[in-house]
Amino acid sequence: MSTPLGLLDRRLLIVTGKGGVGKSTVSAALAQCAATQGRRTLVCELDAKGDLARILGTDPVDYSGREVRPDLVAMTMDTERSLAEYLKVQAKIPFVGRIGPLARVLEFVATAAPGVREILTIGKLAWEARESDYDLVIADATATGHIVGQLSSPAAIRDLVRLGMIRHQLDWMLELLEDPSKTSAVVVATPEEMPVVETIELVGRVRDDAHIDVGAAVVNRVLPAPFTAAERPVFDTLAAIVSEDDRCPPGFLAAVEATTHALRRRDVGSAHLRRLRDGLPTGLPVLLLPEIFDAAATNGGIDLIADALAAEANW
Amino acid sequence: MTGSTIPSILADHRTVVVAGSGGVGKTTVAAALGSLAARTREARVLVLTVDPARRLATALGVVGVEGEPRLVDSSGSGELWMAMLDARQEWDRLIERHAPDQQTRDAVMRNHLYDNITRRFAHSHEYAAMERLHQLQTSGEWDLIVLDTPPSRNALDLLDAPRRMRDFFSGRLLGWLTVPATSRLTLQALRPFRLVANRILGGPFIADLTDFFVLIKTMEKGFVERATEVESSLSDESTAFVVVTTPEIGPVEEAARLIEELDRRSCPTGAIVVNRSTPRIADGRSAEFPPGLEQRLIEGIEPPELLGRVVEVMHDTLGQMRHTAALEALLLESLPGGMPAVSLPMMQSDIADLEGVLELANHLAASPAALA
Ligand SMILES: Nc1ncnc2c1ncn2[C@@H]1O[C@H](COP(=O)(O)OP(=O)(O)OP(=O)(O)O)[C@@H](O)[C@H]1O
Ligand SMILES: [Mg+2]
């Protein structure tokens, strides 16, 4: 890859993948890369668990957002506040207090009307990407199970709601979301069984069901190869000799055992990685990020991961 | 709970709920718990799983038979069965059961919002799982049911599902939405809500919704009673909770929160399972070159000059692994003590068949030490 990957030229990036694979980590790394290039960036954690701020090494953030480093604003989603903002700014209903405690109204409407919570989330992101002065909005999105529903909520609601002001707002939202030069999904996986299976399926569904472009797959936590191609057979021979010779001291045996374990894990991971590459559409860029072993000693490793990402994407 | 072990927890309860944050291996652990029980007891054991790892489900033969239990293993003293939740089917059954008449039932199922709503309705997935569990518990067919909980951001959504269902029906808003058009007084109070809703969502959509909820409201009594029953069965002493985590900060924090919350609801955690731990490699100084072996190695290895480098990498790898294991141990200290805790090692490959499940079950059987 000689030309830099154009992901950061989009207006909206949606980072998704199976639970726990590193969506928040990858979102933070993408955001750092964009901000480092001087792009004004908003990164938003949709499930509001607080992981994103922790990974960025900063105090918790909320819906109002805070500039956590130059050109990088972090926020968390809050559908209740998104509704209040929507009613006030777009529906021009200033006194939301008059329709009862907002939380309860929202709880009810979200339960009753399919897609309302989802649309409040996507709507806020689309609004920031279109109306504010950010160059790039990055969504640290929900996990595999919910993301397609969330991303297709504007289309779903457009089919259900035939009138009302939300109708024409959906039109510009869909225009933004379905334009691959403006919006892309970034799908994160780890080289393990289920994340690979789910990722392959997810890429298809994001494209076909939600009509959103997939810009890249990121494989996180790839284990480094301990040996070069020339060293590997040397280790194999050594392990064979040692296993049938009882003169070996326990410390040395332990090292053989640990290395055997590490190699086998790496081999299993490589097989999953191959399966992932085979299952993804041809031409989809696949970026590899390393496992960070001593996260505590490296400030959570986010700088290392951002550097690795920049190197992989040629930024 | 002092003195209890995983096998004794399995022996002393009729329901074991496996909880923890997403991606920690709940399904696999649930299968291993079930398999352990079925091998050591003369019992019919059912693992009810939600959203399982597909390959595991395929290997165990439960794909494509959603809803119905399948016999997976009968080679032990008992029988291991597995079933997969089908949330949609569960909802159809619920409507069937609670609808006052055939006409209402058909009207609900035909309503074009039904599909959408049953997937979101008051945490519908969690409620469907609770509902299915209750059915199976009361069927009298099972000595032990192991419930693998649905993936959800907050594992407690599951416990809250019945309460949410009750709240939904008793909420003022449902009343408002389904109020008869003739009640002028209520309509007056409702005006602002309706105005906003109509303006944003449009009148016809609100009308569709109203129709649907008028139908649903006819089933209130059945739903609410059921929710209460399901809820009480969870805090019953025949139910135990097993919390699963991996030795990573996010899942451990979630596990600690979960344990605390379970305690608050008087459903104390029976055991903690720490899945995918870094294996402990036996101690011994990660020493020098084995003296007597040196000559043999140098002769046997081609090209010999690489040997030094390979040995260096081996010792680094061992150091790394010990370091990781120590960090994990430190992290686990933040979990509450006083209950059995079992570490399951990171397996060398994925668990995708009965054999793998049995291997994990062996680890679970090993007498656990309580966390300090
Ligand atoms: N490359 C890596 N090396 C080592 N650890 C990592 C790496 N990437 C992520 N992790 C760790 O994995 C855990 C999960 O990462 P993260 O919170 O980014 O995942 P997520 O997909 O956002 O999870 P969730 O689905 O719960 O939101 C964290 O503890 C994180 O520190
Ligand atoms: Mg996250």
Side-chain angles (χ1 to χ4, degrees):
Chain A
M1 232 192 316
S2 50
T3 48
L5 190 61
L7 272 189
L8 302 182
D9 298 325
R10 311 287 200 273
R11 304 303 308 274
L12 176 60
L13 288 180
I14 295 155
V15 182
T16 180
K18 188 173 163 58
V21 295
K23 294 178 295 296
S24 302
T25 306
V26 170
S27 303
L30 279 166
Q32 282 200 188
C33 289
T36 303
Q37 295 183 2
R39 298 174 199 257
R40 214 164 149 70
T41 306
L42 172 70
V43 59
C44 175
E45 185 179 31
L46 297 196
D47 67 8
K49 279 192 304 196
D51 290 343
L52 184 68
R54 192 188 70 214
I55 290 167
L56 287 166
T58 178
D59 293 333
V61 292
D62 66 6
Y63 185 77
S64 339
R66 194 178 70 239
E67 183 146 356
V68 296
R69 40 179 281 179
D71 286 323
L72 177 52
V73 176
M75 66 170 284
T76 54
M77 185 51 71
D78 179 338
T79 41
E80 212 175 290
R81 287 183 63 184
S82 170
L83 176 62
E85 190 175 79
Y86 173 80
L87 291 176
K88 200 163 129 196
V89 176
Q90 298 197 49
K92 310 254 185 302
I93 300 166
F95 306 114
V96 285
R98 272 176 43 197
I99 55 163
L102 196 60
R104 297 200 41 190
V105 174
L106 176 65
E107 185 62 33
F108 178 79
V109 174
T111 302
V116 165
R117 203 181 285 283
E118 287 82 353
I119 199 78
L120 286 168
T121 297
I122 296 294
K124 166 72 175 174
L125 295 171
W127 174 262
E128 292 295 341
R130 191 175 97 134
E131 300 293 329
S132 61
D133 62 350
Y134 292 113
D135 297 312
L136 176 63
V137 175
I138 298 173
D140 170 12
T142 24
T144 328
H146 296 297
I147 186 69
V148 174
Q150 192 164 53
L151 292 178
S152 29
S153 64
I157 293 197
R158 189 177 50 181
D159 294 341
L160 287 170
V161 180
R162 293 173 294 271
L163 286 169
M165 63 182 291
I166 200 160
R167 235 352 260 257
H168 84 269
Q169 289 162 344
L170 289 170
D171 289 340
W172 68 252
M173 233 185 259
L174 282 163
E175 213 169 282
L176 172 83
L177 289 172
E178 294 180 358
D179 179 347
S181 71
K182 296 203 173 101
T183 300
S184 286
V186 172
V187 179
V188 185
T190 48
E192 296 169 285
E193 173 81 21
M194 282 322 291
V196 163
V197 172
E198 282 190 20
T199 300
I200 293 170
E201 193 185 287
L202 180 65
V203 166
R205 293 189 60 209
V206 167
R207 285 188 167 172
D208 304 341
D209 297 354
H211 308 290
I212 288 179
D213 168 65
V214 178
V218 175
V219 185
N220 188 27
R221 311 192 74 160
V222 174
L223 295 168
F227 296 121
T228 61
E231 289 163 358
R232 177 74 187 255
V234 173
F235 172 78
D236 290 339
T237 317
L238 182 152
I241 294 176
V242 160
S243 71
E244 57 197 29
D245 194 311
D246 47 16
R247 278 173 299 171
C248 195
F252 196 86
L253 272 182
V256 173
E257 194 186 333
T259 308
T260 307
H261 177 84
L263 283 172
R264 209 164 303 161
R265 272 191 64 199
R266 153 108 192 157
D267 290 346
V268 169
S270 304
H272 288 312
L273 185 56
R274 257 192 316 279
R275 215 162 292 148
L276 179 68
R277 285 188 196 275
D278 290 347
L280 289 175
T282 38
L284 179 67
V286 177
L287 312 175
L288 307 188
L289 301 181
E291 168 80 16
I292 305 297
F293 284 102
D294 201 348
T298 52
N299 190 20
I302 187 61
D303 292 340
L304 292 178
I305 292 177
D307 288 348
L309 180 61
E312 280 282 291
N314 225 5
W315 289 330
Chain B
M1 251 325 141
T2 34
S4 63
T5 59
I6 297 274
S8 73
I9 288 167
L10 293 172
D12 297 343
H13 296 89
R14 297 183 55 99
T15 307
V16 171
V17 180
V18 181
S21 58
V24 294
K26 280 187 298 237
T27 305
T28 315
V29 171
L33 286 168
S35 137
L36 180 60
R39 273 187 314 139
T40 49
R41 291 174 57 189
E42 237 173 87
R44 275 166 62 87
V45 180
L46 176 69
V47 176
L48 174 59
T49 171
V50 188
D51 200 31
R54 208 151 313 207
R55 208 171 97 193
L56 179 61
T58 311
L60 300 179
V62 293
V63 161
V65 289
E66 280 86 344
E68 290 320 307
R70 265 292 175 91
L71 180 62
V72 170
D73 184 20
S74 54
S75 63
S77 37
E79 290 176 357
L80 175 66
W81 293 67
M82 249 177 130
M84 231 158 112
L85 182 81
D86 178 344
R88 177 57 203 264
Q89 186 189 330
E90 227 38 68
W91 273 98
D92 290 352
R93 281 195 220 182
L94 268 169
I95 300 294
E96 199 123 340
R97 177 164 339 109
H98 297 311
D101 50 53
Q102 178 86 20
Q103 207 183 346
T104 311
R105 195 197 75 182
D106 294 346
V108 169
M109 293 195 182
R110 265 200 322 269
N111 190 299
H112 71 287
L113 292 175
Y114 176 66
D115 217 33
N116 260 306
I117 288 176
T118 50
R119 295 206 203 107
R120 295 168 216 273
F121 189 40
H123 290 255
S124 64
H125 212 69
E126 280 88 16
Y127 189 73
M130 290 286 88
E131 173 63 27
R132 182 73 172 131
L133 174 65
H134 186 266
Q135 265 174 43
L136 292 164
Q137 281 171 333
T138 49
S139 72
E141 283 184 54
W142 307 104
D143 299 305
L144 174 68
I145 299 171
V146 182
L147 175 70
D148 164 34
T149 59
S152 80
R153 191 188 102 200
N154 183 339
L156 295 165
D157 282 351
L158 179 83
L159 300 179
D160 288 337
R163 184 185 52 77
R164 277 180 210 267
M165 176 63 75
R166 267 204 314 270
D167 289 355
F168 176 78
F169 278 107
S170 62
R172 237 183 4 200
L173 286 159
L174 182 62
W176 283 1
L177 196 60
T178 56
V179 73
T182 47
S183 163
R184 298 202 43 173
L185 197 69
T186 339
L187 277 183
Q188 196 60 31
L190 262 179
R191 259 177 61 87
F193 174 67
R194 293 235 166 182
L195 269 177
V196 173
N198 281 351
R199 177 134 152 230
I200 297 170
L201 296 169
F205 179 61
I206 299 293
D208 279 356
L209 270 180
T210 307
D211 287 349
F212 184 71
F213 282 100
V214 165
L215 291 171
I216 289 285
K217 199 147 183 349
T218 62
M219 302 177 222
E220 172 169 0
K221 192 161 168 288
F223 269 98
V224 170
E225 274 173 18
R226 193 62 173 203
T228 310
E229 268 174 54
V230 170
E231 203 170 28
S232 67
S233 88
L234 280 179
S235 48
D236 199 73
E237 56 182 32
S238 65
T239 301
F241 286 79
V242 170
V243 172
V244 186
T245 183
T246 52
E248 292 175 295
I249 184 141
V252 165
E253 277 174 1
E254 174 81 13
R257 246 197 319 274
L258 187 60
I259 290 167
E260 198 176 300
E261 187 59 27
L262 283 170
D263 229 24
R264 214 177 54 71
R265 293 163 193 244
S266 5
C267 325
T269 307
I272 303 175
V273 173
V274 183
N275 193 21
R276 289 204 233 128
S277 307
T278 298
R280 307 254 162 166
I281 305 272
D283 248 346
R285 279 181 48 75
S286 47
E288 328 67 49
F289 223 71
L293 264 178
E294 190 165 3
Q295 198 50 42
R296 238 194 108 190
L297 287 176
I298 290 172
E299 280 160 12
I301 278 166
E302 199 53 47
E305 63 273 15
L306 284 180
L307 189 58
R309 160 88 193 130
V310 166
V311 172
E312 195 181 312
V313 169
M314 279 165 46
H315 285 311
D316 285 355
T317 307
L318 176 62
Q320 186 78 74
M321 202 175 262
R322 286 195 171 139
H323 184 62
T324 308
L327 287 178
E328 289 177 2
L330 203 64
L331 182 63
L332 294 177
E333 281 175 18
S334 64
L335 285 173
M339 63 191 79
V342 195
S343 279
L344 297 178
M346 168 82 84
M347 291 293 175
Q348 305 252 331
S349 57
D350 290 304
I351 292 162
D353 55 18
L354 192 58
E355 210 171 301
V357 169
L358 292 177
E359 194 182 336
L360 272 192
N362 284 334
H363 284 281
L364 286 173
S367 202
L371 283 176

